[in-house]
Amino acid sequence: MSRGFSSQLLDNAVSQFAKLPGIGKKTALRLVLHLLREERGEVRDFVESIRAVREEIKYCRCCHNLSDTDTCEICSNPQRDHRTVCVVETVRDVMAVEGTQQYRGIYHVLGGVISPMDGIGPDDLNIDSLEQKVADKQVEEVILALSTTLEGDTTNYYIYKRIAPYGVKITTIARGVSVGDELEYADEVTLGRSIVNRVPFDTTI
Amino acid sequence: MSRGFSSQLLDNAVSQFAKLPGIGKKTALRLVLHLLREERGEVRDFVESIRAVREEIKYCRCCHNLSDTDTCEICSNPQRDHRTVCVVETVRDVMAVEGTQQYRGIYHVLGGVISPMDGIGPDDLNIDSLEQKVADKQVEEVILALSTTLEGDTTNYYIYKRIAPYGVKITTIARGVSVGDELEYADEVTLGRSIVNRVPFDTTI
């Protein structure tokens, strides 16, 4: 009887839950005891949804976003502007940009950023397929939307060097003071960037 | 495409995780994306452990504790004192008392307390089987270890009325100031109870 659990089955389930990020032993026990009080059918649905997402989900062959089909809903949507590609690190970033409802182009998910410290080089990312799209003249504009970290900037520069020779338009998302933020609390780099990249005053906003 | 997820499989798994207590949509998404990065074998182990605990775990026919077998490890252990029964609300309380390593008797898990507000009456709890144990003269002492709430006190009193006629010794766990706590911060009821139920000074502690 390990850790005072009277059941090996319980012990196993708690240990498995506790492997999840941010879930400790106490929370894991609470979750498992909750599932034991649920109907068996409910727990089967829970288990099946996890099995299904891990076994059946695909990565879009076009943009590498998570998808139920070979080509994701965004890439297969004729309403979207297929000549504008927004390059992001992860599928969470796709969700974040989609959440703004301001973007009608398609995406390209790199799967991370170049980070020698973590052993991630350009070959570990979906950069070849991005270059191929550009080389095939399918793309007019590539928007770089990576993190403003050392790794993000390195990756931006690497991608720029790879695709600039094809004569594609390359932009990055604007950096500046957040909407609703007060100037005096903005950091100098962000404030400086927002002044350098100032835009014409728009009376419609 | 609901909530900006490009995949129904992802959406399902996130919704299922978000049903767990204390897990919101954002945490659920983080957990599912974590599982997508894990090896398939790891995720199969996770899923199997939950399926197994829900489908295969039993409640001890003697004390109603969670168990892999018909009779739990505590009830089937001849080293334990089977003539002393500690009555608790839930299996978590069994774990808590076991964690103290101070108790060598057996348990009886009620499965809750009498709570008319929540529609829980005596018949919803494992009280008949407790009375049966006492009626069969298997038990010398019943220790009541329920919460000190209105519901806990009601349940204590109900059990007392049911089993007292059999002439069994009935005790409750001591209430008092926590070890390490300062007197001035203890609430009056607890401090009052600890004075009324004072015990002989023990030089061995």
Side-chain angles (χ1 to χ4, degrees):
Chain A
M1 195 191 331
S2 58
R3 277 190 305 283
F5 290 172
S6 55
S7 154
Q8 194 61 46
L9 291 165
L10 182 65
D11 192 36
N12 282 350
V14 171
S15 301
Q16 288 288 342
F17 257 111
K19 283 185 188 174
L20 296 175
I23 308 273
K25 281 273 166 194
K26 287 210 165 183
T27 306
L29 175 60
R30 191 165 54 78
L31 296 177
V32 173
L33 291 178
H34 169 82
L35 288 175
L36 286 178
R37 284 193 304 269
E38 290 285 291
E39 295 291 330
R40 287 190 179 199
E42 293 275 321
V43 177
R44 276 181 206 141
D45 290 347
F46 174 71
V47 159
E48 169 55 21
S49 75
I50 298 165
R51 188 206 60 76
V53 78
R54 185 63 190 85
E55 303 279 339
E56 293 170 21
I57 209 166
K58 299 184 172 90
Y59 290 90
C60 172
R61 63 181 166 186
C62 185
C63 73
H64 311 287
N65 188 15
L66 290 173
S67 174
D68 294 347
T69 45
D70 286 338
T71 307
C72 78
E73 290 189 27
I74 296 171
C75 287
S76 56
N77 184 349
Q79 306 285 333
R80 311 277 307 210
D81 171 11
H82 286 246
R83 304 197 63 77
T84 304
V85 175
C86 181
V87 178
V88 293
E89 291 172 32
T90 67
V91 292
R92 295 182 78 123
D93 298 330
V94 173
M95 294 172 199
V97 177
E98 283 296 286
T100 68
Q101 304 192 320
Q102 296 290 318
Y103 181 65
R104 299 301 304 162
I106 59 172
Y107 296 90
H108 189 90
V109 181
L110 289 182
V113 281
I114 297 170
S115 174
M117 289 279 282
D118 302 312
I120 302 172
D123 294 342
D124 300 312
L125 306 175
N126 301 316
I127 295 179
D128 288 344
S129 53
L130 176 64
E131 185 181 0
Q132 196 59 47
K133 269 186 216 170
V134 174
D136 292 348
K137 300 289 176 199
Q138 295 170 17
V139 182
E140 273 171 17
E141 178 179 357
V142 171
I143 303 170
L144 298 171
L146 308 184
S147 309
T148 44
T149 57
L150 184 62
E151 290 80 10
D153 289 343
T154 305
T155 312
N156 275 335
Y157 187 68
Y158 180 84
I159 293 174
Y160 173 82
K161 295 292 274 184
R162 285 275 294 266
I163 63 176
Y166 298 99
V168 69
K169 181 177 172 189
I170 303 172
T171 57
T172 72
I173 58 169
R175 310 294 178 174
V177 181
S178 294
V179 177
D181 264 15
E182 293 181 49
L183 282 206
E184 65 176 309
Y185 300 120
D187 68 284
E188 288 111 349
V189 179
T190 302
L191 187 55
R193 195 97 74 104
S194 75
I195 290 170
V196 171
N197 298 327
R198 64 194 178 278
V199 292
F201 185 68
D202 183 351
T203 54
T204 62
I205 302 181
Chain B
M1 193 190 331
S2 57
R3 277 189 304 284
F5 291 172
S6 55
S7 153
Q8 195 60 47
L9 291 165
L10 182 65
D11 193 36
N12 282 350
V14 171
S15 301
Q16 287 288 343
F17 256 111
K19 283 187 189 172
L20 295 175
I23 307 272
K25 281 273 168 196
K26 287 211 166 184
T27 305
L29 175 61
R30 191 164 53 79
L31 295 177
V32 174
L33 291 179
H34 169 82
L35 289 174
L36 286 177
R37 284 193 303 270
E38 290 285 291
E39 296 290 331
R40 288 190 176 198
E42 294 274 322
V43 177
R44 277 183 204 140
D45 289 348
F46 174 72
V47 159
E48 169 56 21
S49 74
I50 298 165
R51 189 206 61 76
V53 78
R54 184 64 190 84
E55 302 279 338
E56 293 171 21
I57 209 165
K58 299 184 171 89
Y59 290 90
C60 172
R61 62 181 167 187
C62 185
C63 73
H64 312 286
N65 188 15
L66 290 173
S67 173
D68 294 347
T69 45
D70 286 339
T71 307
C72 79
E73 292 188 25
I74 296 171
C75 287
S76 56
N77 183 350
Q79 306 284 333
R80 312 276 306 210
D81 171 13
H82 285 244
R83 303 196 63 78
T84 305
V85 175
C86 181
V87 178
V88 293
E89 290 171 32
T90 67
V91 292
R92 297 182 75 123
D93 298 329
V94 174
M95 293 174 201
V97 177
E98 283 295 285
T100 68
Q101 303 192 321
Q102 297 288 319
Y103 181 66
R104 299 303 302 161
I106 59 172
Y107 296 89
H108 189 89
V109 181
L110 289 182
V113 281
I114 297 169
S115 174
M117 290 279 282
D118 302 312
I120 302 172
D123 294 341
D124 300 313
L125 305 174
N126 301 316
I127 295 179
D128 288 343
S129 53
L130 176 65
E131 184 181 1
Q132 197 57 49
K133 269 186 216 169
V134 174
D136 292 348
K137 301 289 177 201
Q138 294 168 17
V139 182
E140 273 171 16
E141 179 178 356
V142 171
I143 304 170
L144 298 172
L146 307 184
S147 309
T148 44
T149 57
L150 184 63
E151 290 80 11
D153 289 344
T154 305
T155 312
N156 275 336
Y157 187 68
Y158 180 85
I159 294 174
Y160 174 82
K161 296 292 275 185
R162 285 276 293 267
I163 64 176
Y166 299 99
V168 69
K169 181 179 173 188
I170 304 172
T171 57
T172 72
I173 58 169
R175 309 293 179 176
V177 181
S178 295
V179 177
D181 264 15
E182 292 181 49
L183 281 206
E184 65 176 308
Y185 299 119
D187 68 283
E188 287 111 351
V189 179
T190 302
L191 187 54
R193 195 98 74 104
S194 75
I195 290 170
V196 171
N197 297 327
R198 63 195 178 278
V199 292
F201 186 69
D202 185 351
T203 53
T204 62
I205 302 181

